[in-house]
């Protein structure tokens, strides 16, 4: 069993992961409504991955004999100015999530909770990958601007395949 303080922090992280899912579902909806089907699929896979992240935290808490709290998830917008804006907001969100995991790691080390620290390392690595991937798409979108190049990138995003990594 992990400490009550760590349990509360992980329950908050569970809420943040579900919010992340909601955020990406909103982006996927906006892309679908604007004919960006490749990007809609990309964000839909992101939505599914965020739910998987939430469930990793959920199963970890239960596995440690701790208590689950399902905190409310705030609404997420479904209106964006552009595809670039979606990805820029995604990057800023992922940077905030990285900070959140770093704080959790600090807390785990302070409590000498090595099981939780080890558990969190998967997320620390995942954040590095997510920030890099989103940053790369932003770079391409900035390069091409609007027009034909945008649709070329959209069709490239259609190639994304779901990650097979269930909790
Ligand atoms: Fe759950 Fe996008 O990190």
């Amino acid at each position: 069993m992990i400490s009550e303080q760590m349990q509360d922090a992980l329950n908050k992280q569970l809420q943040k992961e579900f919010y992340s899912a909601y955020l990406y579902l909103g982006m996927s909806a906006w892309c679908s409504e604007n004919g960006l089907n490749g990007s809609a699929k990309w964000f839909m896979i992101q939505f599914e991955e965020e739910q998987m992240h939430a469930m990793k935290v959920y199963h970890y808490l239960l596995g440690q004999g701790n208590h689950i709290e399902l905190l409310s998830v705030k609404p997420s917008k479904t209106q964006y100015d552009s595809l670039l804006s979606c990805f820029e907001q995604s990057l800023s969100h992922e940077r905030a999530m990285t900070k959140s995991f770093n704080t959790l790691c600090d807390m785990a080390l302070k409590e000498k909770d090595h099981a939780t620290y080890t558990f969190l390392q998967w997320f620390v690595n995942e954040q590095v990958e997510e920030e890099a991937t989103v940053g790369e798409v932003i770079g391409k979108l900035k390069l091409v601007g609007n027009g034909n190049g945008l649709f070329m990138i959209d069709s490239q995003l259609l190639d994304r395949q779901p990650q097979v990594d269930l909790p």
Side-chain angles (χ1 to χ4, degrees):
M1 187 173 248
I2 59 179
S3 75
E4 200 166 316
Q5 191 193 6
M6 183 58 77
Q7 169 187 288
D8 291 348
L10 286 176
N11 273 314
K12 284 193 183 116
Q13 190 63 38
L14 177 62
Q15 176 192 37
K16 286 179 191 176
E17 295 296 338
F18 277 124
Y19 173 71
S20 301
Y22 221 33
L23 178 75
Y24 290 123
L25 186 61
M27 289 179 181
S28 182
W30 180 82
C31 291
S32 288
E33 288 172 16
N34 287 278
L36 295 163
N37 295 334
S39 308
K41 180 188 169 193
W42 196 95
F43 284 118
M44 184 61 77
I45 291 173
Q46 196 66 18
F47 161 69
E48 285 161 2
E49 286 194 0
E50 297 299 349
Q51 290 178 88
M52 180 267 282
H53 296 172
M55 294 313 290
K56 268 186 189 281
V57 177
Y58 174 93
H59 287 300
Y60 179 72
L61 278 166
L62 284 182
Q64 285 283 7
N66 283 84
H67 175 63
I68 295 289
E69 269 194 80
L70 294 176
L71 304 168
S72 61
V73 179
K74 64 182 176 180
S76 190
K77 63 180 190 170
T78 52
Q79 189 61 49
Y80 290 90
D81 293 335
S82 64
L83 186 58
L84 178 59
S85 167
C86 282
F87 276 97
E88 283 178 336
Q89 288 177 57
S90 163
L91 184 58
S92 107
H93 176 73
E94 290 305 335
R95 284 179 175 158
M97 293 297 273
T98 298
K99 275 193 188 150
S100 182
F101 281 112
N102 287 341
T103 303
L104 287 170
C105 287
D106 289 346
M107 193 189 296
L109 285 178
K110 201 168 157 209
E111 291 190 7
K112 297 187 169 49
D113 179 353
H114 292 282
T116 301
Y117 182 77
T118 301
F119 166 70
L120 290 169
Q121 295 316 295
W122 184 89
F123 290 94
V124 170
N125 292 327
E126 176 74 5
Q127 286 306 122
V128 172
E129 199 183 305
E130 287 204 349
E131 284 191 31
T133 306
V134 173
E136 194 180 312
V137 179
I138 289 173
K140 284 183 185 171
L141 286 169
K142 281 187 173 164
L143 208 61
V144 300
N146 290 319
N148 289 345
L150 179 68
F151 288 99
M152 190 187 73
I153 291 174
D154 185 61
S155 67
Q156 284 175 1
L157 292 172
L158 194 60
D159 293 338
R160 182 176 183 184
Q161 296 302 318
Q163 196 181 52
V164 184
D165 189 0
L166 297 173

